[in-house]
Amino acid sequence: MEKQRSLIKILLTNQEKILESGRYNKAEFGDLISKLTDVERSRQGILEKIEEHGSIDIPKLKIELQLSEKNLLCNIEYLKELGFLGFIGEKPRFFQDVVEISKQKGIFPNVTIIKEKKLCSGCGLCASICPVGAIIYSEGTFDFDEEKCIDCGLCYICCPRAFFPKVLETPEENDEPDINYLEQFNYYQEICTAQTTDERITTVAQDGGIVTTLLKMAFQQKLIDGALAVTEGEEHLKPLPHLIEDEDDLLHTAGTKYTNAPILKIFQDCRGHDKFAVVGTPCIMKALKKISFYPFNKPFCDKIALKIGLLCMESFDYVKIVELLKNEFKSTPADVKKMDINRGRFLIYDHNGSAFDVPIKKIKKYGRLGCFFCDDLTSIHADISVGSIGSDPGWSTVFIRTKRGAEFFQKALDLHMIVKKEIKEDSKSFESLSRIAKSKLKKFEEYHRPKMIEQDPNIRKNNFEEVPKGLTIDMVKLESQRCLQCGNPLCVTGCPVNIRIPQFIKLLKQENYIGALYEIKSYNLLPAICGRVCPQESQCEKYCLLNGLGEPMAIGYMERFIADWERENKLKECPECAAPKGIKVAIIGSGPAGLTCAGELAMNGYDVTIFEAFHAGGGVLTYGIPEFRLPKEIVKSEIETLKMLNVKVEYNVIIGKTLTIEDLKDMGFKAFFIGVGAGLPIFIKVPGLNLNGVLTANEFLTRSNLMKAFKFPDYDTPIKIGKKIVVIGGGNVALDSARTALRLGAEKVTIVYRRSEAEMPARKEEYHHALEEGVVFQFLTNPVRFFGDENDDLTQMEVIKMELGEPDESGRRRPIPIENSEYLIDTDTIIIGIGTRANPIITKSIPELEISKWGYIEADEDSQTNIEEIFAGGDIVTGSATVISAMGAGKKAAHSIDKYLQEKYINKKE
Ligand code: FAD
């Protein structure tokens, strides 16, 4: 395992930098290296034995290596996370990308990967561990000085969110006698409720004042000579980590502030102390537990005399508290004397003892603490845990977990500094504590993102039935429980039509399906479509906080579920319309942009008519996206909803040919929305383009979908394809063509794409489905020319290998041909699916309309063109994009059209 030694190499290479930073002196540095060398040797030994056995045989390893089970298990976990145990199928738990980086470097990456995944718990340990001071904590998260970083990965090794071995969840060996176990609370010796007898502490501390009293006792009795806690900086209500050096300092630190400060950021400051206490939430306790093993196979610091844990649900957003004080109570942080929590209320006391009463929900901080990233509510890794849930006002709930915790608590009792009462397991408050702890445990362990049931690939590649079958009601019930109901839901900002996703999921959780349907339809009239074809992974789900664990909420699946539930139950819910305004609006094009704009305007009381060139509505939804991804019945049904809103649809009308905008004006239309898409195919410029057997994806898909070639002979419109098909492109269009060709009887379908898999713009799910169905992908390959026989029938195509260069204007790495790497592929049908562009029919008919050099309509943020009464949106403005972005544009345009018509006609009338 030579690779692993690179950590030591890195440290040695950067010795000067490390010593300069002042984190280690020469002797300490030498000690660090020698400890790490021992550890590496030990891991090397474990890995070699596992390789020799071909499996992980703990009893055998224990005997052969003379190591404890805990030592073995921790190291095995470490090796697994680094990706070294892949050969026996042991995969890292969370981050595949960590393994990719680790594999290249032989060590873990730096901890920014945790920050990027929004998993940082804010403990601050990384800042203390970094040997060169490259991590600087600020405002609840950290900044990273890339120039200083030496890429040793020590910060990742110590991070409690990076990976946390199961074996560390069990109590320390010396604590095992007389220990109790309750699944939701883990191991403990006793649970009770307690209160301080010190009146000064009562006036400032929260609940029973137990944390402050325990620390005071420990200082007085010289059981500790320092404590890592939290104080307020110069600014009131701005919690900062603080090293308390004596009893007098203590009262400044009391109160509900611990949860918001990266306490372990100043861990190194305790080096001069012989025995110190640490106070903090489960994340902080978890971090301490982790460095009780990593990076040295033994405690990183053995001077911690007491760990006082806090309950994690008591995590508050101080910025919100300050805002609330200002806006609702016309007060300032300086007026706050004490804060307290009781039975779902947050109480802020002023100096006169009056309390401002705030519902906890309003100030709760999610996504960092009080979240569901771990299963721990009660700080199971502490010596003693303290919290308010489960106790009467003015009392604290106390979990005594270890012998050490018991000794400290008993001493405070003996000195009459605290009083305690027994907690009865059948009391109501105990039950609620138990329930909350259980729900946290459950959410963490049991609920996983559901997988849709799908048609077997070998069967489905021969039919046009839909591939995924949707979620069952039971799956939705479970999935809706996983939502964190974030205070600041990033998923909503990730959705181009801003659906109130947490509210929608909450209604599902309450099994209020009609309510959920109304909620979603007030923002999106096409949920069955969006639930099927939206690239959620790069929109709402990308921003879901749970994404950090690799399992974002299945928002798209649930959207599809509710729309399907409506259809299956033969309901047809549509939002209410405003009173008719008697003003006519024309929508040109019935794609997602046009449909959305039409729906919004109809709901607003306008008299809306859609003009569509084809004989069926839906745009790409109907003629582009195949049946097995989006059944046309669904598109029809969603268009029906519009008809319920009194939207009229005129088919087979090409605006710019059959009728002009001027004609429409004569017909009484006052405003126009152009949503004609970008349906003109782009060709590649290679010799042989005119050979028989070369098609564009547009033609191919339109014939199959709109003209129903896939239903031949029921429909008299067949399409001729060969046996060896090559599709050119890497987007949804190419993949849809490939999978359609397979279903139409092709023997082999190959996709030729000039970039790599990582740059492919197609939806991940579709790529995965195509692979399952047997589509072959040739990445980094580009066509050079097509060859035909004497009848001009296609026979072969010449391609060239590509490599990736610097990023181009799209941000993707530019493909560059590799000289002399050309080769031939046998083929009888080539489908070109490299993209589309604007069709000029309508724009040519309105010469004064401003268009870009590519032929797209110029429209501003509000979808307004240079002509007052003409608005535009969707692909005809942006170029080929997505269904939901076209819908977002249609929605925006509807608001602008409403504003325009209000100003021009309605307000004038009044
Ligand atoms: P379109 O959907 O193109 O609709 C425009 C409509 O206007 C058409 O019905 C057209 O007939 C009509 N029209 C055109 N000119 C005139 C005229 N002069 N007069 C009257 N009517 C006219 N996006 C995703 O989000 N997920 C996917 O999985 C996905 N897959 C795709 C697969 C394929 C094969 C294709 C081609 C696109 C895919 N897209 C996907 C992209 C997405 O479908 C488009 O971005 C979206 O449909 C654009 O909507 P639109 O309303 O702007 O235009």
Side-chain angles (χ1 to χ4, degrees), residues 532-535 539 588-595 611-614 616-621 623-626 629 653-657 673 675-679 698 701 705 732-734 736-737 763 766 836 839 841-842 873-876 879-887:
R532 283 171 165 83
V533 300
C534 266
Q539 293 173 337
I588 299 144
S590 67
L595 294 176
F611 294 93
E612 167 56 48
F614 281 137
V620 170
L621 306 175
Y623 74 78
I625 303 179
R629 275 219 292 137
V653 182
I654 305 173
I655 303 297
K657 287 256 187 249
F673 173 73
V676 292
N698 274 48
L701 289 173
N705 297 326
N732 286 322
V733 181
D736 282 343
S737 305
R763 289 187 66 206
E766 307 313 333
T836 50
N839 188 322
I841 292 180
I842 190 158
D875 284 4
I876 186 59
S880 298
T882 60
V883 171
I884 194 78
S885 59
M887 289 176 65

Side-chain angles (χ1 to χ4, degrees), residues 31-192:
D31 188 39
L32 170 78
I33 295 294
S34 100
K35 278 181 183 166
L36 281 174
T37 310
D38 289 347
V39 174
E40 297 298 342
R41 263 197 214 118
S42 164
R43 273 187 208 133
Q44 171 80 28
I46 297 173
L47 183 60
E48 279 167 11
K49 283 284 168 201
I50 294 176
E51 277 169 351
E52 194 185 308
H53 301 161
S55 66
I56 300 173
D57 185 338
I58 299 291
K60 210 166 163 186
L61 289 173
K62 261 167 85 177
I63 298 166
E64 287 178 350
L65 296 167
Q66 292 291 300
L67 291 173
S68 73
E69 186 160 332
K70 181 174 166 187
N71 188 321
L72 277 171
L73 291 173
C74 279
N75 280 310
I76 287 170
E77 185 106 15
Y78 186 97
L79 291 167
K80 184 167 92 176
E81 292 299 322
L82 259 181
F84 283 104
L85 299 183
F87 69 97
I88 47 163
E90 289 287 339
K91 297 217 170 75
R93 257 178 307 174
F94 295 145
F95 309 128
Q96 201 46 50
D97 38 352
V98 168
V99 182
E100 299 301 321
I101 301 170
S102 309
K103 260 191 202 152
Q104 286 163 22
K105 295 189 177 175
I107 51 161
F108 286 116
N110 70 49
V111 81
T112 45
I113 201 152
I114 300 287
K115 182 181 171 182
E116 277 158 18
K117 289 176 188 297
K118 296 200 173 64
L119 275 182
C120 175
S121 69
C123 71
L125 186 60
C126 52
S128 267
I129 295 299
C130 175
V132 288
I135 301 171
I136 312 112
Y137 242 94
S138 58
E139 300 288 326
T141 182
F142 58 85
D143 290 325
F144 194 72
D145 188 336
E146 273 181 34
E147 286 204 353
K148 269 194 187 168
C149 174
I150 55 170
D151 249 345
C152 65
L154 273 173
C155 49
Y156 184 90
I157 296 173
C158 298
C159 175
R161 286 278 165 92
F163 63 95
F164 194 82
K166 209 71 196 140
V167 58
L168 291 185
E169 305 256 322
T170 53
E172 297 302 323
E173 275 125 51
N174 61 356
D175 282 326
E176 265 171 25
D178 56 78
I179 212 151
N180 299 308
Y181 177 78
L182 268 184
E183 197 197 5
Q184 66 271 32
F185 299 141
N186 209 296
Y187 296 95
Y188 65 94
Q189 298 199 357
E190 187 189 343
I191 301 176
C192 63

Side-chain angles (χ1 to χ4, degrees), residues 181 437 579 713 742 825:
Y181 177 78
L742 210 60
I825 302 177

Side-chain angles (χ1 to χ4, degrees), residues 408-424:
F408 273 76
F409 191 66
Q410 190 56 46
K411 192 131 221 148
L413 283 175
D414 293 346
L415 291 165
H416 307 290
M417 294 176 80
I418 50 179
V419 286
K420 79 161 183 176
K421 285 194 292 189
E422 196 189 332
I423 284 191
K424 295 214 169 54

Side-chain angles (χ1 to χ4, degrees), residues 136-365:
I136 312 112
Y137 242 94
S138 58
E139 300 288 326
T141 182
F142 58 85
D143 290 325
F144 194 72
D145 188 336
E146 273 181 34
E147 286 204 353
K148 269 194 187 168
C149 174
I150 55 170
D151 249 345
C152 65
L154 273 173
C155 49
Y156 184 90
I157 296 173
C158 298
C159 175
R161 286 278 165 92
F163 63 95
F164 194 82
K166 209 71 196 140
V167 58
L168 291 185
E169 305 256 322
T170 53
E172 297 302 323
E173 275 125 51
N174 61 356
D175 282 326
E176 265 171 25
D178 56 78
I179 212 151
N180 299 308
Y181 177 78
L182 268 184
E183 197 197 5
Q184 66 271 32
F185 299 141
N186 209 296
Y187 296 95
Y188 65 94
Q189 298 199 357
E190 187 189 343
I191 301 176
C192 63
T193 180
Q195 190 179 49
T196 184
T197 55
D198 186 326
E199 274 183 25
R200 275 185 71 208
I201 293 181
T202 312
T203 56
V204 287
Q206 189 196 320
D207 309 318
I210 295 304
V211 176
T212 316
T213 311
L214 278 175
L215 291 178
K216 181 175 173 175
M217 182 280 295
F219 269 119
Q220 281 179 352
Q221 298 296 311
K222 303 206 178 340
L223 298 175
I224 57 170
D225 60 3
L228 270 186
V230 176
T231 188
E232 278 172 0
E234 306 247 301
E235 246 177 273
H236 209 42
L237 283 190
K238 194 145 202 189
L240 290 175
H242 181 61
L243 174 60
I244 310 169
E245 310 245 17
D246 55 43
E247 200 189 322
D248 290 340
D249 217 2
L250 198 61
L251 285 184
H252 301 295
T253 67
T256 307
K257 294 188 291 293
Y258 292 104
T259 51
N260 269 47
I263 295 180
L264 299 181
K265 163 189 158 181
I266 55 165
F267 193 58
Q268 292 273 0
D269 297 359
C270 299
R271 280 199 297 184
H273 292 253
D274 285 330
K275 39 194 179 185
F276 61 95
V278 185
V279 183
T281 51
C283 316
I284 306 282
M285 295 301 130
K286 216 165 181 176
L288 293 177
K289 186 77 180 195
K290 194 166 178 200
I291 52 160
S292 74
F293 204 85
Y294 298 119
F296 300 135
N297 288 359
K298 57 183 163 194
F300 180 77
C301 164
D302 51 14
K303 293 178 177 177
I304 304 172
L306 179 67
K307 291 180 277 175
I308 306 181
L310 304 164
L311 267 49
C312 100
M313 297 302 264
E314 292 164 16
S315 163
F316 304 101
D317 189 331
Y318 287 90
V319 176
K320 279 192 190 160
I321 296 178
V322 174
E323 271 171 22
L324 261 158
L325 281 170
K326 190 171 150 218
N327 300 334
E328 288 191 24
F329 301 108
K330 312 287 171 246
S331 183
T332 67
D335 296 330
V336 177
K337 168 88 172 166
K338 157 182 165 131
M339 293 179 281
D340 218 343
I341 313 151
N342 210 272
R343 310 221 163 106
R345 315 299 297 182
F346 191 86
L347 302 164
I348 305 172
Y349 294 92
D350 66 12
H351 294 278
N352 305 321
S354 331
F356 307 122
D357 179 353
V358 180
I360 284 185
K361 242 166 79 187
K362 281 200 174 176
I363 48 170
K364 197 150 210 159
K365 192 171 184 123

